[in-house]
Amino acid sequence: GFEGSMGLYLQGGRLAFFRRHVQRGAEGEPPQVGAWECTGFVTDLSWAEGRRLTPCLAFRDIGAYHLRNTRVGTEPPVSLPDAEMSFKESQWRSLDWDAGEQDAEDMDV
């Protein structure tokens, strides 16, 4: 499973996501912290209704998850890629999936 940090950044009505993996070291060794990865701005807020956004995390697999909020701020953890590229249709691919369909595909292998 994923161990690390996740973030979201909202600026000027646009939304971007971040993640940074952490790999546990051997006993007595410090964990290895990866570099921040970023989606760039992936959407505007034209789909939102009202004046409030409520963040919600949804995980693919059933199980215990341990989360904590560590920071709220006005700056992203790393610079974002050029926003113009983020909104070009040719840069996108669908990520719609159904967990049941994915599990069935995994069993066919």
Side-chain angles (χ1 to χ4, degrees):
F2 176 82
E3 288 191 46
S5 301
M6 296 184 300
L8 62 89
Y9 180 61
L10 182 62
Q11 178 192 51
R14 299 175 302 174
L15 185 61
F17 296 93
F18 297 86
R19 72 178 179 184
R20 179 172 61 181
H21 289 274
V22 173
Q23 185 175 9
R24 292 181 188 254
E27 191 172 326
E29 295 290 321
Q32 300 293 316
V33 179
W36 281 104
E37 299 173 70
C38 178
T39 61
F41 289 109
V42 294
T43 186
D44 61 22
L45 298 180
S46 61
W47 51 268
E49 297 179 14
R51 298 181 45 84
R52 281 192 182 169
L53 289 178
T54 303
C56 174
L57 293 175
F59 298 98
R60 177 179 168 197
D61 296 324
I62 295 172
Y65 292 90
H66 304 280
L67 307 169
R68 66 185 166 133
N69 184 5
T70 59
R71 187 175 88 107
V72 174
T74 59
E75 296 294 322
V78 294
S79 298
L80 281 101
D82 180 21
E84 182 179 321
M85 293 298 290
S86 298
F87 291 97
K88 287 190 175 185
E89 196 68 31
S90 64
Q91 300 296 312
W92 286 86
R93 63 184 174 94
S94 175
L95 294 178
D96 292 338
W97 58 274
D98 179 302
E101 289 175 7
Q102 184 69 33
D103 292 339
E105 288 176 14
D106 290 345
M107 291 192 310
D108 290 340
V109 176

